[in-house]
Amino acid sequence: MASHIVGYPRMGPKRELKFALESFWDGKSSAEDLEKVATDLRASIWKQMADAGIKYIPSNTFSYYDQVLDTAAMLGAVPERYSWTGGEIGFSTYFSMARGNATVPAMEMTKWFDTNYHFIVPELGPNTKFSYSSHKAVNEYKEAKALGVDTVPVLVGPVSYLLLSKPAKGVEKSFALLSLLSSILPVYKEVIAELKAAGATWIQFDEPTLVLDLDSHQLAAFSAAYTELESALSGLNVLIETYFADIPAESYKTLTSLNSVTAYGFDLIRGAKTLDLIKSAGFPSGKYLFAGVVDGRNIWADDLAASLTTLESLEAIVGKDKLVVSTSCSLMHTAVDLVNETKLDSEIKSWLAFAAQKVVEVNALAKALAGQKDEAYFAANAAAQASRRSSPRVTNEEVQKAAAALKGSDHRRATNVSARLDAQQKKLNLPVLPTTTIGSFPQTVELRRVRREYKAKKISEEEYISAIKEEISKVVKIQEELDIDVLVHGEPERNDMVEYFGEQLSGFAFTANGWVQSYGSRCVKPPIIYGDVSRPNPMTVFWSKLAQSMTSRPMKGMLTGPVTILNWSFVRNDQPRFETCYQIALAIKKEVEDLEAGGIQVIQIDEAALREGLPLRKAEHAFYLDWAVHSFRITNCGVQDTTQIHTHMCYSNFNDIIHSIINMDADVITIENSRSDEKLLSVFREGVKYGAGIGPGVYDIHSPRIPSTEEIADRVNKMLAVLDTNILWVNPDCGLKTRKYNEVKPALTNMVSAAKLIRTQLASAK
């Protein structure tokens, strides 16, 4: 019985790639140094899977930034502004597309389906010229083969690549991206030919868009693409991999009718209905089923007995020699190796499996199906499953009762937003186009050292508080000198916006090295929600009150919202997600009320990940949005009219949920806008009325580029064309923690200057 891994984490067990990338970007190391780190990481990953007994080992799932950007490079789809003149695409062009440079902005970045991973959105048009411009897929296959590992090269499929793209600037929004299919397939044919010549016998096309709601024209594109590639693929075994949701019946029918395809990969964790489809609609005779039974998106140990039962039922349908045990999706969405967690509670640790352990689980299931079951391994797994089900630390009856009591109320504030804004303005006395930032300020090396030493008990609590107080004072002074209207304390006490809160809530556990890539070199360390959630003590009140005491200007209290804490954590899988979310909402509600009692007049409850959690299928949207929006309202339903509630969202497509955003009933929302070519504004051009305060971001903080005053003023004027003056705020796209002060200060200076310039113009126009 064979085993397969869809993909593997890229950063390395100690984030080796992250540090190599940042060193290269800072000019401290060479391209050769970066490539050496990458080569060593790839070799260790391939060896690990080979040693574990995995038969179908992926290659070309490693990336210096993002697999969709890699595909754009392979196709030579470089926007003109990067002045690429042809040939093999190197780091300079590649990273300019990802991050921008001193003269041109980066390409748009958005969420990869419903995960916290981000991809670079290709920009295409009728005049885009395609050419084979990155040989990465072939080179990595050869690299693995030279090490004695025969891999399955992985490519983003041609149809998903186009469906995930967008019309380039200046191209009609109605441009049919699928019309470019015939233009990109010749490049795919060149890649396939080179892989065959190098000795590849299998090839994997990731076509995750097959799980979306596709129309007949889009489904026809899959048939057309793989029919056109049929002769090129002759002699190869072809796997089409899908993940993140169940595959609709029509898509299943289209996929399983493709003559050129040998095998189909399905996510049987988030796509449980696919299992029913396979059983009811049948499975094509002679084809392979790559059964994704081991969860690639969470850290819980697999219930091996349950998975084995599922696999045995599938074996009866597809045949013993045609069933391959696989992960539900790439393991890049989970942490790397549980071995590195030497301080994690032993009971909780026994319930977990990171990427390295999931590789072992996959192979153990494959061996069990082949009659070589490791009885001791299965017994230990069953004991861990039983321990988790019965552990008293998982359940808190008081919390469950409080969450159950939420039913029957929509938890709206008593007064409408227009009246609240009037009351808040009388108290805050803000100018037209008030300026603010999103929360965090640069996280310096010194600041990280202080937090690290405090955690390691190398400095006292008094020394830690003194250092953080000094940093807050510096951030407050900078903002006052810049003349920003509503201040933030900069979050120097926080390494991560979710981890910080999880550390202070019950029901959460934390890892030392459970890092997961979010985008580029950015890694996050999601907390683990293993039990019922409550707030034993105030979490931010001390720091917020301290910061407010340093200034007469309004100081935001900064919180992470319940939906974002949920979506950016590894969540318990033994109860519905919405039940856990309601528990978190009640905990945040207590914090909001304590901040208000402490004199904080502006409280921001970030819901950066609300859109990210939207199910991939439209039929499931309403239920999710109902409980997600309700959870946000729970957090602030009890505050006074004069307390201004902000929220923040970033790096997703918000236009399709704008009415749910309005339904959140926040007083002010700041929202990413600039990197996505201001497409957020289109929803207001189309007539949606928004009565609360709103701050569409005026510049992209994920790029080192510093925008000019004129550029920002131009963006603000575009906003004023569709939004009322009295509701518009001026702010960056997102928090500033990833930037340096020599980038932040001039960018914010220009932002404030732009706001003042337009205020003057508005006053003179009266």
Side-chain angles (χ1 to χ4, degrees):
M1 187 61 59
S3 52
H4 166 252
I5 304 297
V6 177
Y8 202 80
R10 307 158 178 163
M11 287 289 118
K14 296 181 179 177
R15 294 180 291 162
E16 292 89 339
L17 182 61
K18 168 190 170 66
F19 299 120
L21 283 166
E22 291 173 355
S23 177
F24 174 70
W25 293 337
D26 289 343
K28 296 176 182 176
S29 61
S30 67
E32 291 74 20
D33 294 330
L34 175 58
E35 288 167 345
K36 173 68 166 57
V37 171
T39 300
D40 290 347
L41 277 174
R42 288 192 294 266
S44 67
I45 290 167
W46 291 326
K47 183 178 186 301
Q48 177 187 353
M49 285 192 263
D51 289 349
I54 301 299
K55 180 175 181 179
Y56 299 111
I57 297 171
S59 61
N60 198 41
T61 58
F62 177 89
S63 178
Y64 287 105
Y65 207 93
D66 161 55
Q67 69 270 20
V68 182
L69 180 62
D70 292 347
T71 308
M74 181 186 84
L75 295 168
V78 182
E80 287 185 10
R81 65 180 177 277
Y82 299 108
S83 302
W84 176 64
T85 55
E88 189 80 2
I89 289 175
F91 283 154
S92 176
T93 299
Y94 181 86
F95 288 129
S96 290
M97 293 163 73
R99 307 177 70 238
N101 57 41
T103 58
V104 292
M107 295 167 70
E108 181 184 353
M109 182 170 70
T110 196
K111 294 293 175 72
W112 178 245
F113 294 81
D114 58 349
T115 74
N116 187 30
Y117 178 74
H118 302 65
F119 74 98
I120 301 297
V121 182
E123 302 171 15
L124 305 175
N127 298 320
T128 303
K129 305 297 182 193
F130 298 99
S131 61
Y132 187 12
S133 304
S134 170
H135 292 67
K136 176 179 175 295
V138 177
N139 292 341
E140 287 188 16
Y141 173 78
K142 291 178 177 178
E143 188 181 311
K145 193 171 184 181
L147 296 170
V149 182
D150 189 25
T151 61
V152 178
V154 179
L155 300 176
V156 174
V159 183
S160 288
Y161 172 77
L162 292 176
L163 290 177
L164 294 169
S165 300
K166 71 173 187 178
K169 203 164 188 176
V171 174
E172 288 292 328
K173 298 302 180 188
S174 59
F175 173 68
L177 292 161
L178 288 176
S179 67
L180 297 173
L181 191 58
S182 61
S183 301
I184 68 171
L185 289 179
V187 179
Y188 274 88
K189 289 178 181 179
E190 288 186 72
V191 179
I192 292 164
E194 285 197 6
L195 287 169
K196 285 169 72 173
T201 57
W202 279 84
I203 186 168
Q204 175 179 320
F205 291 100
D206 281 6
E207 292 281 15
T209 56
L210 275 164
V211 305
L212 303 178
D213 295 309
L214 301 179
D215 61 33
S216 58
H217 174 66
Q218 292 166 325
L219 287 175
F222 286 95
S223 300
Y226 289 94
T227 298
E228 176 64 25
L229 291 174
E230 190 168 348
S231 59
L233 292 167
S234 177
L236 280 174
N237 291 296
V238 179
L239 164 64
I240 292 188
E241 187 67 51
T242 69
Y243 35 77
F244 298 151
D246 58 89
I247 185 166
E250 283 303 309
S251 299
Y252 180 82
K253 183 179 177 182
T254 298
L255 176 59
T256 54
S257 65
L258 299 175
N259 292 328
S260 56
V261 178
T262 317
Y264 314 100
F266 298 118
D267 181 340
L268 300 180
I269 301 295
R270 292 186 175 233
K273 292 177 185 175
T274 301
L275 197 58
D276 298 331
L277 198 58
I278 293 168
K279 293 175 180 178
S280 62
F283 193 78
S285 177
K287 301 292 177 108
Y288 289 85
L289 171 60
F290 281 57
V293 294
V294 173
D295 193 348
R297 285 184 61 174
N298 217 327
I299 42 66
W300 303 109
D302 188 67
D303 184 339
L304 295 178
S307 291
L308 190 57
T309 299
T310 297
L311 290 165
E312 286 169 346
S313 69
L314 290 170
E315 187 179 63
I317 298 169
V318 304
K320 183 180 284 288
D321 62 333
K322 298 298 181 183
L323 183 62
V324 178
V325 183
S326 184
T327 54
S328 64
C329 62
S330 171
L331 295 174
M332 67 178 286
H333 304 290
T334 191
V336 179
D337 196 342
L338 198 55
V339 169
N340 298 319
E341 302 304 325
T342 56
K343 296 180 181 179
L344 193 61
D345 177 279
S346 59
E347 182 183 28
I348 293 174
K349 190 174 180 178
S350 73
W351 303 342
L352 308 178
F354 291 179
Q357 289 68 48
K358 289 176 185 292
V359 169
V360 175
E361 288 179 336
V362 166
N363 202 55
L365 286 165
K367 290 176 71 175
L369 272 177
Q372 303 167 36
K373 186 178 180 182
D374 185 334
E375 295 291 352
Y377 183 74
F378 271 71
N381 175 267
Q385 298 292 326
S387 161
R388 185 177 166 214
R389 283 191 294 269
S390 61
S391 176
R393 67 199 304 175
V394 171
T395 305
N396 182 325
E397 287 188 15
E398 185 180 336
V399 170
Q400 292 189 350
K401 286 178 182 177
L406 293 170
K407 294 172 183 175
S409 171
D410 63 3
H411 296 90
R412 290 185 183 275
R413 292 170 76 177
T415 311
N416 68 45
V417 69
S418 177
R420 298 198 310 262
L421 288 174
D422 287 343
Q424 292 156 14
Q425 179 58 18
K426 287 174 184 175
K427 193 167 186 178
L428 299 173
N429 194 30
L430 298 172
V432 171
L433 306 179
T435 54
T436 191
T437 64
I438 303 306
S440 60
F441 263 62
Q443 300 267 309
T444 62
V445 172
E446 174 63 17
L447 186 55
R448 294 179 190 277
R449 181 192 65 77
V450 167
R451 286 200 306 262
R452 188 168 59 248
E453 290 187 352
Y454 177 59
K455 278 198 169 185
K457 295 183 169 56
K458 292 181 179 178
I459 61 173
S460 68
E461 185 174 13
E462 291 77 15
E463 289 173 307
Y464 172 72
I465 290 174
S466 176
I468 298 299
K469 183 177 180 180
E470 184 179 338
E471 182 70 17
I472 292 173
S473 178
K474 180 180 82 172
V475 169
V476 170
K477 186 178 179 184
I478 288 170
Q479 292 172 93
E480 288 186 328
E481 289 173 350
L482 291 169
D483 203 19
I484 291 173
D485 300 304
V486 176
L487 310 190
V488 298
H489 76 292
E491 304 177 8
E493 78 283 16
R494 308 177 194 183
N495 178 61
D496 177 86
M497 63 187 286
V498 173
E499 181 181 3
Y500 176 80
F501 290 97
E503 285 177 337
Q504 300 181 78
L505 294 168
S506 65
F508 282 75
F510 292 86
T511 63
N513 295 289
W515 298 99
V516 179
Q517 184 185 20
S518 179
Y519 62 85
S521 68
R522 168 81 170 136
C523 296
V524 294
K525 195 165 52 167
I528 298 165
I529 305 177
Y530 67 84
D532 291 334
V533 178
S534 62
R535 186 202 72 149
N537 299 295
M539 301 179 287
T540 65
V541 177
F542 173 79
W543 297 117
S544 293
K545 288 174 67 176
L546 177 68
Q548 183 63 81
S549 72
M550 296 176 179
T551 181
S552 60
R553 301 184 185 212
M555 173 66 62
K556 289 190 207 175
M558 299 299 305
L559 305 175
T560 302
V563 184
T564 296
I565 290 176
L566 183 88
N567 285 334
W568 286 359
S569 298
F570 290 125
V571 183
R572 57 189 294 190
N573 58 0
D574 58 346
Q575 70 176 15
R577 288 172 70 88
F578 70 85
E579 291 186 12
T580 303
C581 198
Y582 284 154
Q583 293 177 1
I584 302 170
L586 286 171
I588 299 300
K589 182 176 186 288
K590 290 183 179 179
E591 187 73 11
V592 168
E593 290 167 358
D594 281 351
L595 282 168
E596 183 183 54
I600 305 301
Q601 302 173 62
V602 181
I603 302 171
Q604 181 169 308
I605 308 166
D606 284 346
E607 284 296 13
L610 187 140
R611 173 60 175 79
E612 172 188 311
L614 189 71
L616 300 178
R617 306 290 289 283
K618 290 177 183 175
E620 300 168 19
H621 286 188
F623 177 68
Y624 167 79
L625 289 169
D626 179 66
W627 64 255
V629 170
H630 187 192
S631 295
F632 176 82
R633 290 202 306 264
I634 288 167
T635 64
N636 61 88
C637 62
V639 300
Q640 299 173 29
D641 288 354
T642 50
T643 298
Q644 190 166 84
I645 299 296
H646 288 223
T647 191
H648 170 67
M649 296 182 174
C650 56
Y651 299 100
S652 288
N653 181 10
F654 301 104
N655 292 24
D656 56 349
I657 64 162
I658 190 65
H659 294 290
S660 294
I661 292 173
I662 294 170
N663 199 28
M664 291 170 72
D665 200 27
D667 296 311
V668 178
I669 180 169
T670 52
I671 194 162
E672 180 271 326
N673 171 68
S674 63
R675 185 156 180 171
S676 57
D677 290 332
E678 300 164 342
K679 66 183 177 186
L680 171 71
L681 299 184
S682 65
V683 77
F684 301 114
R685 294 189 190 104
E686 291 162 7
V688 171
K689 298 298 180 186
Y690 194 80
I694 184 166
V698 296
Y699 79 91
D700 174 24
I701 64 86
H702 288 298
S703 170
R705 180 175 169 272
I706 298 165
S708 67
T709 297
E710 294 72 24
E711 180 183 333
I712 294 174
D714 180 60
R715 280 215 166 97
V716 175
N717 278 320
K718 287 179 181 177
M719 296 171 192
L720 287 171
V722 292
L723 294 166
D724 292 340
T725 308
N726 63 340
I727 66 169
L728 186 62
W729 286 63
V730 178
N731 47 263
D733 265 349
C734 205
L736 304 170
K737 68 185 295 182
T738 60
R739 300 267 56 86
K740 298 179 174 63
Y741 272 106
N742 62 3
E743 298 161 342
V744 165
K745 287 181 180 179
L748 291 180
T749 297
N750 293 347
M751 184 187 83
V752 173
S753 296
K756 289 181 175 179
L757 174 67
I758 296 176
R759 285 175 197 159
T760 301
Q761 292 171 349
L762 290 170
S764 63
K766 286 184 179 178

